[in-house]
Amino acid sequence: MKTLISNIDVTSVNGQYRFYQYNDGNPLPQIELFKIENNKEVMMKNVLGEVKKLNEEFLFKIDFHPKNRKHPLNTREFSDKFIKSYQEI
């Protein structure tokens, strides 16, 4: 069972996005991403791709594939870093 931790609204040049973070027993929160269109939430199927675009737009320079790691960040890690960076501005 998952429990809602928080939701974060992000205003982008491409529109309004809403992140939902859930606790599902994993150390990192589960992420669901929606784009707000005509006051309706439309679920984004490619969360990682959208977060990469937002990362570039906001110039956070979060490194998706850090040199000190064998594998790139997963969707939860990358989204969590983006959300923390966004909340700091």
Side-chain angles (χ1 to χ4, degrees):
M1 185 168 130
K2 62 184 183 181
T3 307
L4 181 65
I5 300 170
S6 66
N7 65 325
I8 294 91
D9 289 339
V10 174
T11 303
S12 164
V13 295
N14 295 320
Q16 184 81 17
Y17 292 88
R18 182 167 293 144
F19 285 88
Y20 288 98
Q21 293 182 299
Y22 294 97
N23 180 356
D24 64 349
N26 192 304
L28 289 168
Q30 177 185 358
I31 303 293
E32 289 183 3
L33 178 61
F34 294 85
K35 187 168 185 179
I36 311 294
E37 295 178 346
N38 300 322
N39 293 326
K40 293 183 182 177
E41 293 181 345
V42 178
M43 182 177 254
M44 304 306 297
K45 295 182 190 232
N46 184 1
V47 175
L48 184 59
E50 290 298 319
V51 177
K52 283 181 178 181
K53 290 177 193 175
L54 290 168
N55 180 47
E56 290 176 16
E57 176 184 337
F58 287 98
L59 303 174
F60 290 146
K61 298 183 181 175
I62 300 167
D63 189 5
F64 174 68
H65 200 337
K67 293 179 182 171
N68 62 343
R69 290 178 55 141
K70 188 175 183 177
H71 301 287
L73 300 178
N74 64 36
T75 302
R76 291 181 187 222
E77 290 174 300
F78 194 66
S79 299
D80 192 52
K81 286 179 183 272
F82 173 82
I83 290 168
K84 287 178 181 175
S85 297
Y86 186 79
Q87 289 176 325
E88 291 177 1
I89 58 171

